[in-house]
Amino acid sequence: MTTDVRNFGATRPRDGKLARLLRRIALLRESPVGMIGAGLVLFWILVAILAPLISPYDPNANDFEIARDWYPSARHWLGTDNQSRDLLSRIIWGSRTVLIVAPTAVGCAYVIGCLMGLLAGYYRGWVDLVVMRISDIILSFPVIILYMIIIANFGPSAFNIILAVTFIAAPQITRIVRGLTLELRERDYVAAAKMRGESAWYIMLVEILPNARGPLIVDACLRMGYTTIAIGVLGFLGLGLPPPDPDWGGMVKDSYALMSTYPLMSIIPCMAISSLVVGFNLLADGIREIGLRD
Amino acid sequence: MTGSTKRPVLELVNARISYFTRAGEINVVPDISFTLHEGEALGLVGESGCGKSTVAFAVMNYLGGSGRLTGGRILFEGRDMQKMSAAELRAVRGNKMSMVYQDPMSSLNPVMTVGRQLMEVPIIHEGASEAAARERAIAILKEVNLPDPESVFERYPHQLSGGQQQRVVIAMALMSEPSLLVMDEPTTGLDVTVEAAVLDLVVRLRETRNSAIVFISHNLGTVVRICDRIGVMYAGELVEEGPIGKVFRDPRHPYTRGLLDCIPVLGSDKRSAPLVPIPGQVPPAMARPRGCVFAPRCPHVVPERCSVGDIPTSPAGGDAEHLVQCVREPELPDYRRPQASGPIEAAIEASEPMLSIVHLDKVYRQAGGLFDSAGGYDVRALSDVNLEAQRGTTLAIVGESGCGKSTLAKVLTGLEKATAGKVSLGGVEIGDTAVENRSRAVKRQLQMVFQNPDSTLNPSHSIGYAIARTLQRLKRLAGGLANREARGLMETVKLPADFVARKPRQLSGGQKQRVAIARALAGGPELMVADEPVSALDVSVQAAIINLLIEIQRQRGATLVFISHDLSVVRYLADRVAVMYLGKIVEAGTVEQVFAPPYHPYTEALLSAVPIPDPDVKQKRIILEGNIPSVTNVPPGCPFATRCPRKVGPICDTTPPPELRTPGGHRIVCHIPLEELTVVDPVVKRAS
């Protein structure tokens, strides 16, 4: 009874699915823009994974021997900050914060947004009305103020940042998923599923959601970029991770007062943030491009 | 025909057309030649993917960024289109040649009024004044038979119906008095009665203007109405070309014969003249076979002669007007439409009703706006529908779009609930139960085949999953058993069993529709509802699917409710027919009764509008004026009163007509007495 009919092509080797997935990813090669984006993102993922191996110093250690000579040298390739902490090491370790917090937050937002959007779009009527009005209320607040209220109330921590991002992004995702669901629920295969007696949850999750994946993957990529910016902004406002742990936004904030005298200290974390955001956006463009071709 | 004395408008000389993609050059049309003189109309027919539209775009020299003429010449009024400058091309395109596409909405600018768009043509091309342009725009709207041209002039495209939009597009194409008009499937999206009116318009304009027309269609019937010559295209090649009469009476190319064998001609049915589909598919342009392109699908193929070298185009039987590209042409036997080989079986006359519908109403409540004190209005999609289908027979429901036939299908399948009345399936009442609340037994008994092959299967699921899942749900089969039975069902619908691992996008339209039939068969249904299952398919695929439905019905004794707008298909397939108009049944009876007098005036008009691919058939011409009224505003009397050519008087507008019954069970809902309806001539007659 529980035999998995989904792996129907039993004649095929088990890795057929994985191979097909890899082949789809390999399609990205045909989009130069997407390749650049994927390269940037992959670069930062590798940096985050290998942080303990490649980082030359402890990111929180102050190098008292260099006195006030913060500029790049053979000892500190990117220089140090005003507390004589190695910038390169801080950037490397800071990438971990962003690359853990952003995907987790976007993932949580997607789980909630997809469920709400599916419910609203599939049932319509009063369910739709309630879900969409709640979303509208959340969406009507200025994002920054909402962040500040949430973080200020619950205190700055990685968990609370994820909570805040989820709370703000979920309604936006709900809107997208609802729109896609409204269209997909009218497809004949949904009617066919109803006619063989499938439950509403099965129809929403197995018949409708997989076919909404194209636009959602693109949106998720873009949203990772926005979330990276949001985390940076929170860090800059002092609502990021509590010190002394490195976080890119917080690094920009620390350099704020020295901007005119020692700009390098703010430029480097800014470039890190930008390159990751641009990477996500280009990747989204590339995926959209090959998606259109398909 | 003395075409040679006329001035040639368009000449294609060994034209070779290719598209350039990342994969390299794809040669879509290897070599095509034809000449079109002024006042002539050439119909190009063939299955989809045969290069018809490519030729049309090449004629306009408008192949886009990726297409190019890579050999030969295309001469327009004696001038080589390739050698014209951009400015010359622009002048020729708007002025001397015009094109009409399939979808009128995409040809019209939605933010400009119809009048503005028409006025642009003379203003831009001839530098006409506002006033003069306006006058001409209104005159041309009058000429294409649009009612009240002044008001149409002021309207936006979305405020017009599909048929009116297409007339506006034709008006725009005619505005500059072109010497060449290219029409690419101009009536494909339209209802038959509207299509008939548009086709008549094209014929009339052709006579008055003497324009040459290239008319592209997949529907051989429309070509017979419009054109005097026909070109049959297959895989980018013109395999047969000649005057309509000659090609239809004596088709010399096996592909032309195959096409004719695929289409039901009004008047033939499944018992007397079976449809013979062409096996196989059109080869993709990259994999064109050597020698004759049609050889792999040809019943007359002799490989050592057909697949060796280029096939020359030669006059059929020495007739210079009738050209055929086939080496075996002189030896082919005379063409005869296929006849039933075995004894003709009688129509099944079972008495037990499988489905009975009594006084069925379906009303959609349209919610009013927030500040609307009236609180919305009702849309009566079905009104007092009474029907019966006997076990093992086919009940066809015909009518134009918006007549309620799809709503009826939804009520039967439980996707919508009936507002009033009864629907009983083998004695079980199902009309008031939505599909979620139906018992598994009822779900097994009643399944549906949908219209659109692209939306009927979930693109994320494999074919095998779609069928096996249905078996699991309806028959409670375990996974392994379901998989095995799914393979069995694939065989029933004549698909290779290893297709189960494929995704829908790896299948052609006809194959998808076969899978949909297999899925519907999974529960072993006693009643299958098929909503336009073949209308999106090419004729040869259509024939194969129809044959499959007939075969399955014979094997399993299932009842079929077949919903269609195509009267030829219905005549061929159905045992009983119901004609619907605006949610009401206006005529019902056996297929022989409905397709012969007495007719309801609407049925008569429908029959007269069906394009018949046979130049020897004489058809009465009944042109319906106006459009189908909106379902929100159904006339209180007879629904058809607003367009009826045989209206008796004010009684039609005010009093619902009575139901007239013949002793044979033929029902007609009309104010005209039965005797008077009986004395009309049949609409379709063969010239003897």
Side-chain angles (χ1 to χ4, degrees):
Chain A
M1 177 65 217
T2 49
T3 313
D4 189 7
V5 270
R6 230 162 298 181
N7 292 319
F8 201 97
T11 49
R12 283 202 173 189
R14 189 70 185 81
D15 64 300
K17 263 203 160 144
L18 186 70
R20 241 176 304 156
L21 185 72
L22 288 177
R23 232 175 299 138
R24 301 216 74 173
I25 292 173
L27 269 181
L28 203 58
R29 269 188 317 206
E30 296 182 6
S31 157
V33 166
M35 281 307 284
I36 296 172
L40 283 169
V41 172
L42 214 62
F43 167 77
W44 282 115
I45 290 175
L46 282 177
V47 166
I49 291 172
L50 302 176
L53 300 177
I54 58 172
S55 135
Y57 299 96
D58 179 339
N60 294 330
N62 313 75
D63 186 353
F64 297 112
E65 294 166 30
I66 57 164
R68 291 183 69 86
D69 181 17
W70 303 328
Y71 284 93
S73 59
R75 197 176 161 119
H76 299 285
W77 290 0
L78 295 180
T80 70
D81 65 4
N82 56 347
Q83 294 176 45
S84 302
R85 293 178 296 195
D86 181 49
L87 267 182
L88 181 61
S89 305
R90 287 185 70 74
I91 291 288
I92 288 171
W93 282 94
S95 69
R96 281 202 157 183
T97 321
V98 142
L99 284 170
I100 289 168
V101 173
T104 317
V106 170
C108 290
Y110 257 89
V111 171
I112 294 171
C114 283
L115 285 180
M116 292 295 126
L118 281 170
L119 287 171
Y122 185 72
Y123 285 110
R124 300 187 293 190
W126 67 266
V127 181
D128 187 25
L129 204 73
V130 171
V131 169
M132 293 327 287
R133 289 307 79 80
I134 293 174
S135 306
D136 285 347
I137 291 170
I138 299 172
L139 287 171
S140 65
F141 279 99
V143 177
I144 282 296
I145 295 182
L146 214 54
Y147 275 129
M148 287 169 70
I149 293 171
I150 295 170
I151 308 281
N153 264 327
F154 297 99
S157 74
F159 180 77
N160 288 343
I161 293 174
I162 291 170
L163 198 78
V165 171
T166 306
F167 187 72
I168 287 159
Q172 301 167 5
I173 297 164
T174 301
R175 276 208 165 274
I176 300 171
V177 175
R178 171 182 175 268
L180 292 166
T181 307
L182 281 176
E183 195 198 322
L184 291 170
R185 75 188 294 280
E186 302 298 332
R187 296 286 163 92
D188 290 340
Y189 53 77
V190 172
K194 282 184 191 163
M195 292 193 63
R196 61 173 187 253
E198 300 289 3
S199 68
W201 280 113
Y202 175 90
I203 292 177
M204 281 187 265
L205 296 176
V206 184
E207 298 283 342
I208 293 178
L209 191 58
N211 294 310
R213 65 174 185 263
L216 292 186
I217 290 172
V218 173
D219 175 76
C221 259
L222 287 173
R223 204 164 287 285
M224 295 280 272
Y226 302 151
T227 309
T228 308
I229 296 177
I231 295 168
V233 168
L234 289 176
F236 182 75
L237 293 176
L239 300 171
L241 291 187
D245 285 334
D247 117 52
W248 293 348
M251 289 164 71
V252 181
K253 179 196 67 177
D254 296 340
S255 71
Y256 187 58
L258 300 162
M259 197 83 89
S260 52
T261 51
Y262 182 50
L264 191 69
M265 191 178 149
S266 34
I267 287 172
I268 284 170
C270 282
M271 277 171 59
I273 294 175
S274 308
S275 62
L276 185 57
V277 173
V278 168
F280 278 126
N281 287 359
L282 293 182
L283 184 60
D285 279 351
I287 292 173
R288 186 167 15 207
E289 204 179 301
I290 58 168
L292 284 180
R293 241 183 254 161
D294 200 22
Chain B
M1 286 229 170
T2 48
S4 50
T5 60
K6 286 184 181 171
R7 192 169 57 96
V9 175
L10 178 71
E11 290 161 87
L12 268 72
V13 188
N14 302 109
R16 183 176 188 280
I17 308 159
S18 298
Y19 288 104
F20 292 86
T21 66
R22 278 169 297 137
E25 178 184 348
I26 296 172
N27 182 216
V28 179
V29 176
D31 182 354
I32 188 168
S33 304
F34 62 81
T35 307
L36 191 64
H37 297 92
E38 60 181 346
E40 261 185 344
L42 171 72
L44 284 181
V45 299
E47 289 168 274
S48 44
C50 281
K52 307 188 294 288
S53 295
T54 301
V55 170
F57 283 113
V59 164
M60 300 289 290
N61 199 356
Y62 193 68
L63 284 162
S66 59
R68 221 165 48 223
L69 189 71
T70 48
R73 283 179 305 158
I74 295 179
L75 303 177
F76 175 70
E77 296 187 330
R79 295 163 67 200
D80 193 335
M81 299 272 298
Q82 295 298 306
K83 295 195 179 119
M84 289 187 200
S85 69
E88 279 175 304
L89 267 180
R90 210 160 39 236
V92 167
R93 270 192 205 131
N95 235 345
K96 303 212 146 179
M97 48 165 60
S98 305
M99 189 152 178
V100 177
Y101 301 95
Q102 178 179 342
D103 179 13
M105 208 46 201
S106 63
S107 305
L108 295 172
N109 185 340
V111 297
M112 272 168 90
T113 62
V114 164
R116 268 274 136 215
Q117 297 184 52
L118 285 171
M119 281 164 64
E120 271 193 341
V121 180
I123 290 177
I124 291 173
H125 282 288
E126 295 156 33
S129 71
E130 281 282 304
R134 188 189 159 83
E135 208 168 289
R136 276 182 55 191
I138 289 180
I140 201 109
L141 286 175
K142 214 172 278 172
E143 200 176 337
V144 294
N145 278 347
L146 278 166
D148 197 2
E150 272 89 6
S151 95
V152 171
F153 185 88
E154 300 296 339
R155 275 189 248 175
Y156 288 94
H158 71 267
Q159 295 169 310
L160 303 173
S161 71
Q164 289 173 333
Q165 286 172 358
Q166 196 59 294
R167 285 181 210 208
V168 169
V169 174
I170 293 174
M172 199 180 294
L174 292 174
M175 197 79 193
S176 55
E177 314 247 332
S179 46
L180 176 66
L181 193 56
V182 180
M183 308 183 101
D184 191 355
E185 306 263 7
T187 58
T188 301
L190 307 176
D191 273 321
V192 266
T193 56
V194 183
E195 175 182 59
V198 171
L199 291 179
D200 274 13
L201 168 72
V202 175
V203 169
R204 200 166 49 77
L205 293 173
R206 194 190 132 204
E207 281 160 5
T208 54
R209 308 237 165 182
N210 212 27
S211 305
I213 298 177
V214 176
F215 187 89
I216 292 172
S217 180
H218 69 283
N219 187 335
L220 293 170
T222 58
V223 172
V224 169
R225 282 213 177 161
I226 297 280
C227 304
D228 35 29
R229 277 167 61 208
I230 181 171
V232 181
M233 285 195 74
Y234 182 75
E237 292 178 9
L238 198 59
V239 292
E240 181 161 5
E241 200 237 305
I244 290 272
K246 287 183 186 167
V247 174
F248 276 88
R249 270 171 222 130
D250 184 22
R252 298 308 304 171
H253 195 282
Y255 180 60
T256 316
R257 295 181 173 197
L259 278 183
L260 288 173
D261 290 347
C262 290
I263 31 177
V265 176
L266 206 57
S268 67
D269 64 46
K270 58 186 170 189
R271 286 174 279 278
S272 63
L275 299 183
V276 184
I278 309 173
Q281 289 171 34
V282 182
M286 298 81 86
R288 189 174 285 121
R290 198 175 140 75
C292 172
V293 265
F294 187 60
R297 300 172 76 186
C298 182
H300 304 287
V301 67
V302 179
E304 57 272 24
R305 287 172 59 199
C306 296
S307 302
V308 282
D310 285 349
I311 308 292
T313 302
S314 53
D319 182 348
E321 279 189 340
H322 188 171
L323 302 173
V324 182
Q325 199 178 70
C326 177
V327 281
R328 296 206 57 209
E329 185 273 319
E331 336 156 15
L332 289 186
D334 284 343
Y335 174 68
R336 210 180 285 148
R337 270 196 81 85
Q339 299 292 320
S341 48
I344 295 172
E345 45 181 306
I348 310 159
E349 266 315 323
S351 49
E352 188 193 353
M354 183 65 219
L355 173 76
S356 89
I357 303 170
V358 185
H359 298 307
L360 176 69
D361 283 342
K362 173 70 195 173
V363 178
Y364 289 100
R365 179 110 195 115
Q366 215 67 30
L370 197 56
F371 303 105
D372 184 359
S373 54
Y377 54 92
D378 289 340
V379 175
R380 192 164 275 272
L382 292 175
S383 149
D384 196 18
V385 171
N386 294 288
L387 277 176
E388 242 178 37
Q390 265 70 33
R391 193 180 287 275
T393 63
T394 302
L395 167 69
I397 295 164
V398 296
E400 294 175 278
S401 51
C403 73
K405 51 193 196 309
S406 291
T407 307
L408 184 59
K410 282 186 180 160
V411 172
L412 291 182
T413 53
L415 297 170
E416 298 279 359
K417 277 202 289 184
T419 312
K422 285 194 180 336
V423 178
S424 84
L425 175 73
V428 183
E429 172 58 33
I430 55 167
D432 55 355
T433 352
V435 68
E436 300 93 61
N437 303 324
R438 289 186 178 178
S439 70
R440 197 154 50 84
V442 169
K443 281 182 204 142
R444 281 183 60 170
Q445 276 184 5
L446 198 164
Q447 281 294 322
M448 177 152 176
V449 180
F450 298 91
Q451 172 176 7
N452 184 348
D454 294 322
S455 125
T456 194
L457 298 173
N458 192 325
S460 306
H461 298 165
S462 71
I463 304 308
Y465 179 73
I467 300 175
R469 177 80 194 179
T470 312
L471 283 164
Q472 283 188 331
R473 296 292 306 176
L474 291 178
K475 283 190 162 175
R476 294 271 172 256
L477 290 186
L481 208 58
N483 289 352
R484 213 165 316 135
E485 195 161 316
R487 284 169 179 268
L489 280 170
M490 295 291 278
E491 222 150 90
T492 311
V493 296
K494 302 194 172 65
L495 284 176
D498 55 359
F499 268 35
V500 288
R502 294 203 183 182
K503 288 280 173 68
R505 73 186 136 81
Q506 295 166 295
L507 266 56
S508 70
Q511 288 169 337
K512 284 183 213 170
Q513 216 54 325
R514 283 172 195 268
V515 174
I517 292 171
R519 182 178 60 190
L521 288 174
E526 303 202 33
L527 180 76
M528 271 168 72
V529 179
D531 188 358
E532 305 259 14
V534 295
S535 56
L537 306 172
D538 267 322
V539 279
S540 70
V541 185
Q542 176 179 326
I545 298 287
I546 292 173
N547 283 348
L548 178 66
L549 284 172
I550 293 173
E551 193 186 317
I552 285 168
Q553 186 177 31
R554 278 191 191 140
Q555 281 169 2
R556 305 195 169 211
T559 312
L560 186 63
V561 174
F562 187 84
I563 292 169
S564 180
H565 69 279
D566 187 336
L567 283 128
S568 310
V569 170
V570 166
R571 176 75 183 88
Y572 176 77
L573 179 68
D575 299 300
R576 301 185 68 83
V577 180
V579 182
M580 287 188 79
Y581 188 79
L582 278 184
K584 293 191 177 126
I585 299 222
V586 295
E587 179 167 3
T590 65
V591 70
E592 290 82 9
Q593 287 169 341
V594 172
F595 282 77
Y599 301 113
H600 187 279
Y602 177 58
T603 315
E604 199 177 357
L606 275 183
L607 284 171
S608 83
V610 182
I612 299 178
D614 186 343
D616 293 332
V617 160
K618 289 272 173 292
Q619 220 172 344
K620 223 189 281 183
R621 273 287 185 282
I622 301 166
I623 296 297
L624 292 185
E625 292 305 325
N627 292 294
I628 305 182
S630 147
V631 273
T632 57
N633 187 21
V634 178
C638 172
F640 189 52
T642 54
R643 296 170 79 199
C644 184
R646 300 189 65 185
K647 198 169 158 185
V648 190
I651 186 173
C652 293
D653 292 318
T654 51
T655 320
E659 186 179 272
L660 313 169
R661 266 177 189 276
T662 69
H666 185 192
R667 293 185 282 152
I668 296 177
V669 183
C670 189
H671 282 297
I672 306 172
L674 201 56
E675 300 74 53
E676 222 173 292
L677 289 171
T678 314
V679 295
V680 297
D681 286 333
V683 174
V684 181
K685 263 192 289 193
R686 284 196 76 85
S688 45

